[in-house]
Amino acid sequence: MSGPSTYEPKNAFTRWLDSRLPILRFANDTMTTFPTPKNLNYWYTFGAILTFCLAVQIVTGIVLAMHYASAASEAFASVEYVMRDVNSGWLIRYVHMNGASMFFLAVYVHMFRGLYYGSYKAPREVLWILGVVIYFLMMATAFLGYTLPWGQMSFWAATVITNFFAAFDSVIPGFGTAILEWLRGDFAVDDATLRRFFSLHYLLPFAIAAVVGLHIWALHVPGNNNPTGIEVKGPQDTVPFHPYYTVKDAFALGLFTILFAWFVFFDPNVLGHPDNYIEANPLQTPPHIVPEWYFLPFYAILRAVESKLGGVLLMFGAIFVLFLVPWLDTSGVRSARYRPVFKQLFWIFLIVCIGLGWVGGQPADRVLFTIAEAAGDSPARVFGVADLGLILTILYFAFFLVAMPLVGMMETPRPLPASIAQSVLGKGAQTKAAA
């Protein structure tokens, strides 16, 4: 989409460098002068925000790794050492800890924006798939990192989640147990588990950075999608990325950083669990084991059915279905702005995801209300969190597997504007372009 290079070296050094390593030309063509649709709104700034979050997590993670001890007998104490004795260690840890939540907050906004504006449709299928790969790697990295403080919630979350792989024994005897012992490096969560989880937690952010590079590359081939879902038809539809979107991204990043700083300095533990400030004890199980908030929807799906294997398959299926979105949506129109039925279903889907998050944070046996009182030998019929979780899980998959294919074939979309310029400037833009 960027077209021929417009970079011109200004002096002898830049001409010399350009003939040997054209990095300045690359930066100019892919960032400074890159033609970008002129109608991008603030929801499109979250790509830059996510790049910032990744950089923060890598930098603070490297510093924390310098002081962390990956041994079951020392891990908890090493985290307390960072908090109390390392210069500014409390700040680095709180930035890293809350940075994970900010990272997932930004990525969820980024993903829902992509769903709403149809950024997964041709020719951007690879762009979407790489985004889902990044999301999966983020989830793996965050889970591994959650175990490292070696508090009660860290230890038991690692125990419970890894135990679910044992469910594959019901398919192939011994297969699930082999995976479980391979993941843990032992028969139980202990030193070997902590060491390999720490090693992988340190490694995976660099893998994420590599896939982010591919993600940006895949973006620059077809160019940005935009709120109308219309492809760029000429120079009248675009503006240079700099200064128009660098300034916009910087302003949005400033607002995001204020929110980030509020959590770090005023309520750094609100998104965590108090039990994680108790050192891990294999002999004492917490009354209610919950993962971090960004995993709660998938945790609810995991608990939606009584079968352990069924829950594991549903949980991984909830992630895998995201890879199929470009082909499940059969509509020829990208943006939900012009798809009245899909737009309503999108907002229902958002409520379903929030509901799954709430369900995931509740005890599985919690009763919400009584349907019928007990009579004689018949027990009371109740509607509980588990029942709500099952309904919301069905609705989650129905959005992708039923609503997307059928609505795309059945709904009548609203008329699209003739061009991006017309959507921004009105009908006068078409006349000026013709002139």
Side-chain angles (χ1 to χ4, degrees):
M1 180 179 173
S2 58
S5 176
T6 59
Y7 175 71
E8 294 183 7
K10 301 295 184 183
N11 53 54
F13 173 74
T14 54
R15 285 193 292 272
W16 176 86
L17 182 64
D18 189 58
S19 64
R20 290 157 176 79
L21 181 65
I23 190 169
L24 297 178
R25 180 182 297 275
F26 176 79
N28 176 81
D29 297 342
T30 59
M31 290 184 285
T32 306
T33 62
F34 185 73
T36 310
K38 60 174 59 176
N39 63 337
L40 301 189
N41 54 35
Y42 274 101
W43 296 116
Y44 283 82
T45 62
F46 279 87
I49 289 170
L50 285 165
T51 305
F52 166 78
C53 288
L54 177 60
V56 167
Q57 291 303 97
I58 289 176
V59 171
T60 55
I62 290 172
V63 175
L64 289 172
M66 296 175 184
H67 304 281
Y68 181 74
S70 57
S73 60
E74 301 173 9
F76 186 83
S78 71
V79 173
E80 291 303 307
Y81 168 75
V82 169
M83 293 292 292
R84 299 169 189 272
D85 296 331
V86 175
N87 291 333
S88 301
W90 64 270
L91 176 61
I92 296 167
R93 183 179 176 235
Y94 279 153
V95 168
H96 192 75
M97 187 172 72
N98 287 282
S101 289
M102 294 297 102
F103 205 173
F104 274 94
L105 174 64
V107 85
Y108 282 134
V109 173
H110 195 60
M111 291 172 70
F112 277 106
R113 188 268 297 162
L115 281 172
Y116 187 83
Y117 291 128
S119 298
Y120 48 83
K121 287 180 173 288
R124 297 177 180 86
E125 302 96 330
V126 173
L127 175 66
W128 174 265
I129 290 170
L130 288 170
V132 178
V133 171
I134 293 169
Y135 176 57
F136 182 76
L137 291 174
M138 282 178 60
M139 295 180 74
T141 306
F143 167 69
L144 295 170
Y146 189 55
T147 65
L148 300 186
W150 212 240
Q152 274 288 75
M153 204 54 62
S154 297
F155 174 85
W156 286 102
T159 301
V160 169
I161 297 303
T162 54
N163 265 336
F164 279 107
F165 287 97
F168 290 104
D169 281 343
S170 61
V171 180
I172 303 175
F175 178 66
T177 301
I179 295 176
L180 178 62
E181 292 176 0
W182 176 75
L183 281 172
R184 291 177 173 176
D186 205 336
F187 297 107
V189 174
D190 208 335
D191 265 354
T193 315
L194 188 58
R195 288 194 179 96
R196 62 183 55 193
F197 279 17
F198 171 62
S199 178
L200 290 171
H201 181 70
Y202 191 94
L203 172 67
L204 285 180
F206 298 100
I208 293 173
V211 182
V212 166
L214 294 176
H215 188 64
I216 295 172
W217 186 3
L219 170 69
H220 280 72
V221 174
N224 288 80
N225 187 31
N226 62 87
T228 63
I230 302 169
E231 292 295 340
V232 170
K233 296 182 180 178
Q236 74 278 2
D237 291 337
T238 64
V239 292
F241 185 80
H242 177 76
Y244 296 97
Y245 287 111
T246 50
V247 171
K248 196 169 190 174
D249 286 348
F251 178 72
L253 179 58
L255 296 178
F256 183 83
T257 306
I258 292 172
L259 175 65
F260 192 171
W262 186 88
F263 282 107
V264 171
F265 292 106
F266 292 99
D267 211 348
N269 294 300
V270 68
L271 298 174
H273 198 287
D275 282 2
N276 230 25
Y277 281 95
I278 304 171
E279 189 170 2
N281 183 355
L283 302 179
Q284 183 180 359
T285 308
H288 178 40
I289 300 172
V290 289
E292 292 282 61
W293 69 267
Y294 38 80
F295 291 140
L296 290 177
F298 297 100
Y299 190 56
I301 292 172
L302 181 70
R303 301 187 313 183
V305 293
E306 294 183 3
S307 166
K308 184 186 288 187
L309 177 62
V312 172
L313 294 177
L314 283 174
M315 182 184 70
F316 283 110
I319 301 170
F320 177 75
V321 74
L322 297 174
F323 287 99
L324 305 179
V325 165
W327 297 277
L328 292 174
D329 190 347
T330 56
S331 175
V333 176
R334 288 196 183 99
S335 177
R337 280 187 177 181
Y338 306 98
R339 301 180 60 189
V341 178
F342 179 80
K343 183 176 182 178
Q344 295 178 39
L345 292 175
F346 170 85
W347 292 114
I348 293 172
F349 174 70
L350 178 60
I351 294 170
V352 166
C353 291
I354 294 172
L356 282 169
W358 180 83
V359 167
Q362 303 301 309
D365 57 354
R366 178 180 172 183
V367 175
L368 297 177
F369 57 85
T370 302
I371 299 173
E373 297 292 342
D377 294 333
S378 301
R381 294 176 57 197
V382 297
F383 184 85
V385 163
D387 302 301
L388 179 59
L390 178 59
I391 293 171
L392 293 175
T393 298
I394 293 170
L395 292 175
Y396 176 92
F397 284 100
F399 174 78
F400 293 109
L401 302 178
V402 179
M404 273 191 163
L406 294 182
V407 170
M409 293 184 287
M410 297 172 61
E411 77 173 339
T412 302
R414 292 167 50 203
L416 298 172
S419 66
I420 294 173
Q422 183 185 356
S423 71
V424 175
L425 304 174
K427 294 183 179 178
Q430 196 169 3
T431 306
K432 289 180 182 178

